[in-house]
Amino acid sequence: MSGKPKLYYFDGRGKMESIRWLLAAAGVEFEEEFLETREQYEKLLQGGSLLFQQVPMVEIDGMKMVQTRAILSYIAAKYNLYGKDLKERALIDMYVGGTDDLMGFILMFPFLSAEDKEKQRAVIVQKATIRYFPAYEKVLKDHGQDFLVGNSFSWADVHLLEAILMVEEKSSDVLSGFPQLQAFKARISSVPTIKKFLEPGSQRKPVPDDKYVETVRRVLRMYYDIKAN
């Protein structure tokens, strides 16, 4: 077995995408096993790999980790993306929690009906421009540094850039009233490891399509309709 982390998930974004982002930001190469059949999923279940019977699951440092937040926290700490002290870690947790909340409005978007997608698109843009982006705009302005926490690149920066790009896919001009965030996006996108991850051919996943939705529904046996927030 190689020393690279191995990711078990679908060939798409979902909850695994933030893990891909953070590993890439840390410059860590990783392998992926894509779930395409119910049998693959049941094999993981029967083998005891999925503690809470769900993915994402990441094999790293001899562990089979589940729970997205736990995985991300471990990666951030292991690769020095979690601040220099307890106070910085608390700030990072707080900012990541905010971007998590915003991403939550987008996560189930591909599974909505066409009508609900239009409603949810408006909700996403409203939440971003009224609640979340003004908060990060103020943080960046008050902090006066290139990064959200301290003066070094952290998990909080990676997570916010991911969220910004996700919202821009729903409304391309969503940052028009946020100059601090525009500058932040340009800075963080230029970090060498992030720049590489944003280039074609990386392990970053595209906007989820119908094939991804059908695969997830089949493997997880999702026979119900998702409703908009």
Side-chain angles (χ1 to χ4, degrees):
M1 179 178 176
S2 76
K4 297 179 183 178
K6 187 171 183 179
L7 284 49
Y8 294 79
Y9 201 67
F10 307 98
D11 187 8
R13 290 184 182 176
K15 290 189 173 183
M16 185 65 87
E17 189 69 354
S18 291
I19 297 169
R20 298 184 185 106
W21 266 87
L22 195 56
L23 285 168
V28 178
E29 294 183 358
F30 56 89
E31 299 174 349
E32 301 190 74
E33 180 170 315
F34 298 127
L35 301 181
E36 298 175 342
T37 66
R38 179 70 186 184
E39 289 71 27
Q40 285 176 285
Y41 181 62
E42 289 181 345
K43 183 177 180 181
L44 290 176
L45 288 172
Q46 292 163 6
S49 296
L50 306 181
L51 182 62
F52 300 112
Q53 301 179 30
Q54 61 192 25
V55 287
M57 191 268 281
V58 175
E59 287 186 344
I60 184 170
D61 294 342
M63 299 182 290
K64 293 183 177 180
M65 293 194 70
V66 295
Q67 291 295 327
T68 308
R69 187 59 182 257
I71 297 167
L72 288 166
S73 296
Y74 181 80
I75 293 167
K78 178 178 173 68
Y79 295 105
N80 300 314
L81 295 170
Y82 214 171
K84 70 178 187 302
D85 55 30
L86 192 59
K87 183 177 179 179
E88 287 194 358
R89 182 168 295 196
L91 290 172
I92 290 168
D93 282 338
M94 185 168 67
Y95 298 151
V96 166
T99 43
D100 264 344
D101 290 345
L102 177 55
M103 288 181 187
F105 293 102
I106 305 173
L107 186 63
M108 300 311 295
F109 186 87
F111 298 89
L112 299 175
S113 67
E115 180 181 355
D116 279 346
K117 280 181 179 178
E118 289 310 306
K119 295 177 183 177
Q120 189 70 356
R121 190 186 309 275
V123 169
I124 292 165
V125 173
Q126 181 187 51
K127 295 292 185 183
T129 56
I130 293 177
R131 179 181 297 180
Y132 296 101
F133 287 174
Y136 294 111
E137 184 81 359
K138 184 177 187 304
V139 168
L140 288 165
K141 184 176 181 180
D142 291 349
H143 187 46
Q145 303 290 339
D146 287 346
F147 308 103
L148 282 169
V149 178
N151 195 25
S152 60
F153 182 51
S154 77
W155 174 20
D157 302 307
V158 179
H159 217 52
L160 179 55
L161 178 61
E162 181 188 0
I164 288 171
L165 297 182
M166 289 171 71
V167 178
E168 284 188 325
E169 289 170 350
K170 303 294 180 273
S171 176
S172 60
D173 63 348
V174 73
L175 287 188
S176 59
F178 301 100
Q180 294 286 337
L181 285 175
Q182 291 175 36
F184 172 86
K185 174 190 168 185
R187 284 196 305 274
I188 304 304
S189 296
S190 297
V191 172
T193 54
I194 296 292
K195 184 177 181 180
K196 182 178 179 181
F197 189 60
L198 292 173
E199 291 173 350
S202 79
Q203 287 169 286
R204 184 186 179 207
K205 305 307 175 194
V207 176
D209 58 14
D210 291 343
K211 180 181 178 182
Y212 167 77
V213 170
E214 192 278 329
T215 300
V216 173
R217 286 186 179 277
R218 182 179 67 251
V219 173
L220 299 184
R221 293 181 176 169
M222 292 171 57
Y223 300 128
Y224 53 88
D225 292 329
I226 303 295
K227 298 300 182 182
N229 287 304

